[in-house]
Amino acid sequence: MLRLSLAAKIGLGAIVAVALAFMYVPLFLVVFNSFNEARIATWPVTDFSLQWWGKAFTSEPIRAAILNSVIVGLGATAVALVLGTLVAFALQRFTFFGKQSVNLLVVLPIALPGVVTGVALNNTYNQILEPIGIQVGYFGMIIAHGTFCIVMVFNNVLARLRRLSPNVEEASRDLGATPWQTFRLVTFPQFRSAFVAGGILAFALSFDEVVVTIFTAPPGVDTLPLWIMNQMARPNEASLVNVVATVVILASFIPVWVSQRLSRDPADRD
Amino acid sequence: MNRRAHLGALLALPMFWLIGIYIFSLVMLLVTAFWITDPFTSKVKPGFTLRNFEQIIANPAYFSTSMRTLGIALAVTILCILISIPLGIFMAKVAGPKMRALLAVAITLPLWAGYLVKILAMRITFTEEGFFNWALSPFGISGPGFSAFTVVLTLTYLWLPYMAVPVYTAIRQLPPNLFDASADLGAGAWHTIRTVVLPLIRPAIIAGSIFTFSLSLGDYIVAKFVGGSTQMIGSIIASNINLNPPIAAAFALVPIAFVVIYLVSVQRTGALERM
């Protein structure tokens, strides 16, 4: 055991308490201020009201922004599921020259700063594709999001594939199943939960992304983070942002919880 | 099916996407950094000039922004390490099993609370009439307001889980008999932490620092909303992409260069292989 004096334990406990306060107090302030009567966030909150919640639920721009975020998120997730799974299979089942580079290539879009990815794609869309008559429009966003979401599916599926035993697939083949039957009936069910977990993480990543979106969204189209950011820059209706932010805080905890349950091994599920 | 064809079939689509779209875009951006902007029409012309790169160093405003960004990213990384180590030791060695499970959830949950939401939360906390100044006012002092200091705090807030989780996991995986041996040989807790724990969790700290460092380096939204007049590299890229694409492109290489230098210097310590 690490023998810590009581004073040291109290000292450590105090640091932990401060760190947790530092993490959670600002979030509570957002939740609190969503019930603030005033137009802008204040502290202490003097008058409570539900008026901003009412306004948020009937706001047309918010609804449009959520719809855009969902469409882009689903599109990006679909791209990530297909491409991420393909790469995971290639890297797990084969040894080939350049394997490390392929791995790096998948990680790169999330490792490089968002502003670099955003500016690079913006440059391609506006300076190269537009002059030759290709308008990417709305798809520009989906392409961009899909690119940096691949890694989420890839990581999850690859980690699962590494733990699967090849014997089951061999047995299936020996019993006369076609490759497609083996994949559909034997392989896929074994990595399905990792596939779904990766998809949820990809969607969550896309839903939250703002920097790449700034540079790839077509004019006049807002995703939810873009809407929040634009409202933050215009402080006159700040309390409305707090309502949306509160919903985001609550909603973001759900997919994490689900994906944590799914990616756990069936063996160590309690 | 022959194995090569099978591999090709698996990789064709992903590689078309990642190389054909993403790498192509990065390369085109890189090429733009060497192009010329006509000073009168501000039209971009293909060509070859190193002027854009000269500007990054010669223009004092640009140079100081690069250095400031580097300083902020390093400060965030150090602050994350300073918080994560006591947090990890407390969770792994002091807290009971229930408390430990609760804390493990508590430090990972905010990771998902939404990037902008957290920036908004810090903005509300540190604004002039906000909570922080209110809490400090009985002592007659006022908080940092919107400044480079608040940028460091906010970035630490955003990226702390990337450091705290690996550091905690590493401390948790240390064999308990190492602590027994160290105590039996007469080392106090502080001595044990410094000579036994720290060297063994170094790979985890380095792994976490790659995230905290590179994510801070590329960020500019935080500076925009809680930084007051603080500018970062990203601010310059974003404000120049339409007016002067070559200079934005040249600047996009600065954070990449910093990250590569950081990775190479970290790799020399051999920590990457053990990640």
Side-chain angles (χ1 to χ4, degrees), chain A residues 40-79:
Chain A
I40 49 166
T42 52
W43 190 264
V45 177
T46 46
D47 299 297
F48 288 90
S49 126
L50 283 174
Q51 64 155 328
W52 300 107
W53 283 83
K55 287 209 172 116
F57 276 102
T58 52
S59 158
E60 196 45 52
I62 294 178
R63 198 171 304 165
I66 291 175
L67 187 67
N68 282 329
S69 276
V70 170
I71 294 171
V72 172
L74 289 177
T77 306
V79 170

Side-chain angles (χ1 to χ4, degrees), chain A residues 20 35 47-48 54 63 75 88 121 126 134 141-142 157 164 176 178 195 205 208 217 251 257 260 267 269:
Chain A
L20 284 180
F35 299 104
D47 299 297
F48 288 90
R63 198 171 304 165
L121 289 172
N126 292 338
I134 301 173
M141 254 191 305
I142 298 177
V157 172
L164 295 186
T178 64
F195 181 80
L205 185 69
D208 191 37
W257 184 76
Q260 268 185 345
R269 189 166 291 168

Side-chain angles (χ1 to χ4, degrees), chain A residues 1 23-24 124 147 208 225 252, chain B residues 17 25 106 112 115-116 157 180:
Chain A
M1 265 315 285
M23 284 172 154
Y24 283 93
T124 304
T147 305
D208 191 37
S252 66
Chain B
W17 187 286
S25 296
W112 298 94
Y115 167 80
L116 269 176
Y157 180 43
D180 294 338

